[in-house]
Amino acid sequence: MIKTEGLTKVFDTYTALDNVSCTIPNGCICGIVGSNGAGKSTLLRLITGIYKPDKGSVSIDDLVPFDNPDIKCNIAYVPDDLYFTPGATIKKMSTLYKSVYKNFDDARCKELVEAFKLDMNRPITTFSKGMKRQAATLLALSTKAEYLLFDETFDGFDPIVRNYVKSIICEDVMERKSTAIITSHSLRELEDICDKLALLHKGGLILQNDVENLKTSHFKAQLAFTFDYDESLFGDLEYKRFTKCGSVCSMIIKGNEEETKNFFNKLNPVICDILPLTLEEIFAYEMETLEYSFDISLTGMED
Amino acid sequence: MDKKKFNISNYFNGKLFIEAFKQVRVVGLTAFICLNALAIFLPVLNYMEMKEEMEHYAYQILFETTTIMLPLVATIFIITPIMYLMLFSFLTKRSGSDFYHSLPVKRTCMFVSFIIAIISWLLIITFSYTLLSIASANICYSKFIIDYTAITNYTINIFISCIAILGIFSIGTALTGTITSNIIFSCGLLVFPRLIINTLTNLLINNSITLTPNSGHFIFDNLINIPYSFLTVLFEGSYNVVSRLVIIEKHSLYTLLLGIIYLIIGMKLFASRPSEASSKSFRNNKIFSVLRLGTGFVLSLLIITTIYPLIYEEQFYDCIMDEKVPLLLVLLAIVLSMFAFEAANKRSIKNGLKAILFTPLIILVDIAIMFCLHGITKNYNNEIIDKKNVDYVYVGDLFSSYLNLTDEYSYDFTSYCNGNIAKTKITDDYIIDYLLNIYNSDRVTNFNAPSYYTFCEVEITFDSTIADKTRYVYLTSNEIMHLGEKLIQNEDIINCFYQFPDSDKSLIACPTSPENSALFYNTLISELKNLPLDILIEEYCSYEYSENYDSSGYIIISTFVNGYPEDFTLNVTSLTPKTYTMLINYSNEEIKDTTIDFLDMTKEDFSIPSINLYCDIYNVLPDGTSDIEYSYNINDIYSQKKETISMVLSLMSDAIKNNYVFDEENIHNDNILICKIYYSYLDTYGSYYIPLSVNSPLLEFIENIPDSDETEEY
């Protein structure tokens, strides 16, 4: 389990991460979304043990990862800005990985190389951006690490490779009960793969929740009544973005769908439609709840 | 309480070491191949050049350590930082730094494994070059003399220097984030501390009377830091450090210790280095400020070195005014450096201007230093040394000065003996007392007295329990003479004249065959060891040999003194009859036929203008001196009758054909005279020695030639 408490990282005068506390249980795929400069990469580097926190703590299975090989051998990290040793080929890199990762699986590496149709002996510098990312991903997956950290990994992949990479990450998590953390600035990129989602904004963790939970607990309702009404009709219901046009109103609701339906039915609406929300809409809702500007958050989020 | 167990995997990872070893193999292999090619090529080239000479003289090579090691020094000092910067180049890229720090390896372990990889390459390169050079020289030369201790020490010293360089760069890398800032910082770390220490120490020594470079604190020794000393070779052309490399001494241990301390600091800084420091010039602004102030302070040393000596001038103000332009230029340089450093780093002229405000601080430090130096100098000049603390004295060149004052003694054997004397610790109570009295007297007044214009310095060493402290004592000519006479009675000094190098560790150039040279040399030194010291000094240390002893030739001994080649010459005279006989017999054997041919040819026609011939007939007295009885040269012969000349030459030829051989006894035999013939004709020349009994036909004939024969027309 990855646990952060009050995690803070400051670069000179810039606070990249501010008092972030979260818990990521084992055996799940956790997506971290946020705009550029939100602190996603910093969070991953702190979890990987590359950075030392200025305040707070980060622990993996109750061990501090900074300069701790015992826990770091269970972490494979694919950074946004890739690095390969000078003159490296996949073969040479796998030798380097083998020298430090006890569980590095050669067979798995070869299998993935074939799957990605890469050349093991070709210098990585001659690879395209996507191929480099594939190489880094397959090397990380071959370490058989319990914790797989991917920073903006899907950038540069074509849709086929993207889906393939998603599938092998899912397989890995399913088969080995490993934990994957994937950062992205695109919600759509993550919604079909993640079990949990966290949102970082300007160095702070705004929310984190199970995707399933988010999806089932947030929905949109469209209602029409024969009588004149206002928001007070809905009493204690937890909702946002209430709009009313004539006799028809719509709102985004957080809560139990069945209970809400029963509540509405008691009000005898002429129309009562319950519609599912996209994750983006849910996040927008949550951000508004937390009094963050919905517009600002979205402008930062590139699709 | 839990005790942390030592785990080797926290400090070294074999696989990572191999990986690092591979990463720098391009530089390592290139250096290895180039240097080893040189190791083979240089002796072969030397051999090819000397091949012709070698056929004639069985040429011997003195394997000079410093020359042969020069390519290694040059290469190794360049590749060490290159290898380091190459292997740790990931620290200058954010992605690289993140990558390596994400690997499940302790940072300490990574650092140590990488450093050991570089050290392994340096070990391979350094020692393979040395071994291959020796092997190559061995194959090329039939005989060569090598000082194995010197070459081993040299190799070890180079290797030690590399460790210090690695240490310096490890600190530089850990504190900086770009290659440029790393090089600047590392060079600053290499140069600044030692430059500051050396400048201040030199000021102290130059402005005090008694201080020596070894004044008690070995850390003040200018050559103590080997890599820094090598830089001074480049910039100042002083090669003193090169001579230091052939010995393992304080400087080796100091450099090694410094290297290890630097590496440990580098390792700790590497372990704590934030990955985000990569690609930033400096890890933090404090480090940059230290470098900036350091640069300004080093420049300001020029102010101290200009002003401080003027303190001792009577017209201080006038002197300062004479130097005002250079001083203003230095001040300007300091201001500019402070400005440029800050402005370039912060990319802000405003910050650059703020940095100039630190200049007065530097000047204040300079003034404080000058006050300190003045106090220390004054203290040393008034120092009194208690005799009970004095352990020994080194007389340095005192004996040479003594010999110079007594006669024209400056022969190279004197220099060799003086080398032995200079490193001899003299513990004689009288000499120590005498020197201490001079030292403890009013030396400031004495030093400026006219009698000191010709002086000699000797060193006294005291308080050697922790570290040796040495002081100069200056002596007038009279004092030198007095001490010289005392020294000549000192057993340790006497022994210095009888310490001859071993034949197997020396190159002996003598008129005999190379196979016999060792025997010849050993015979000579065994005879020399039986000579009294006054005769040895008079005959072997004198520039002009006494003509009392007949010299049949000389022998040049090339050997290593403290790892450095030194030559000296010993004449073979009748003072050493065994060697003298050996040399004569060998020389006779070599030129017997040529001499007979020459004499036979000349007796037929001695009108050939280029012919030159003369002979001395003498006997050697028991004390080794020779007594010339007859002396003829070609001009005298021309004044004789043709028949007389032909007869002399014919009798000479017959005497040679009779195969008389010298032995040790007949050198001092009153009944045997030596007839030494020297002749030359075109390219033919030689000296032949004929032992003549008192009743030999040649001697009888010569004795009976009338003083003035009638001159003939030829």
Side-chain angles (χ1 to χ4, degrees), chain A residues 1 22 25 73 76 81 109 118 153 192 244 258-259 270 294 303:
Chain A
M1 184 175 68
C22 69
C73 66
D81 189 5
C109 181
L118 295 173
T153 293
D192 57 341
K244 187 172 174 242
E258 276 307 307
E259 282 173 11
V270 260
F294 177 73
D303 195 13

Side-chain angles (χ1 to χ4, degrees), chain B residues 395-452:
Chain B
V395 293
D397 288 331
L398 186 136
F399 208 80
S400 284
S401 303
Y402 164 69
L403 292 179
N404 269 324
L405 287 169
T406 52
D407 205 344
E408 286 296 310
Y409 289 95
S410 59
Y411 207 58
D412 54 9
F413 181 62
T414 317
S415 157
Y416 170 75
C417 294
N418 201 58
N420 291 337
I421 293 169
K423 60 185 180 189
T424 304
K425 292 175 178 176
I426 295 165
T427 51
D428 184 286
D429 277 346
Y430 179 83
I431 295 170
I432 292 176
D433 267 342
Y434 189 79
L435 289 169
L436 269 185
N437 280 337
I438 297 168
Y439 184 85
N440 289 338
S441 62
D442 184 5
R443 70 180 82 95
V444 180
T445 315
N446 288 347
F447 187 73
N448 295 319
S451 56
Y452 273 81

Side-chain angles (χ1 to χ4, degrees), chain A residues 9-12 45 48-51 66-67 69 72-73 75 77 81-83 85-86 92-93 95-101, chain B residues 10 13 15-16 19 22-23 25 89-90 93-108 271 275-276 280:
Chain A
K9 183 71 190 169
V10 182
F11 299 119
D12 294 330
R45 286 181 182 124
T48 317
I50 296 169
Y51 290 168
F66 185 80
D67 206 18
K72 279 167 104 172
C73 66
I75 305 170
Y77 170 58
D81 189 5
L82 296 173
Y83 177 85
T85 55
K92 284 179 187 171
M93 286 302 290
T95 313
L96 173 62
Y97 272 67
K98 250 188 288 182
S99 68
V100 289
Y101 285 100
Chain B
N10 284 341
N13 179 323
K15 288 174 181 172
L16 208 60
E19 191 57 36
K22 283 185 197 165
Q23 279 194 34
R25 68 179 178 273
S89 64
F90 65 86
K93 287 180 200 143
R94 188 71 173 263
S95 57
S97 180
D98 286 357
F99 172 78
Y100 276 98
H101 290 326
S102 73
L103 295 177
V105 187
K106 268 218 167 278
R107 290 184 179 200
T108 315
S275 189
E276 60 268 27
K280 276 166 66 178

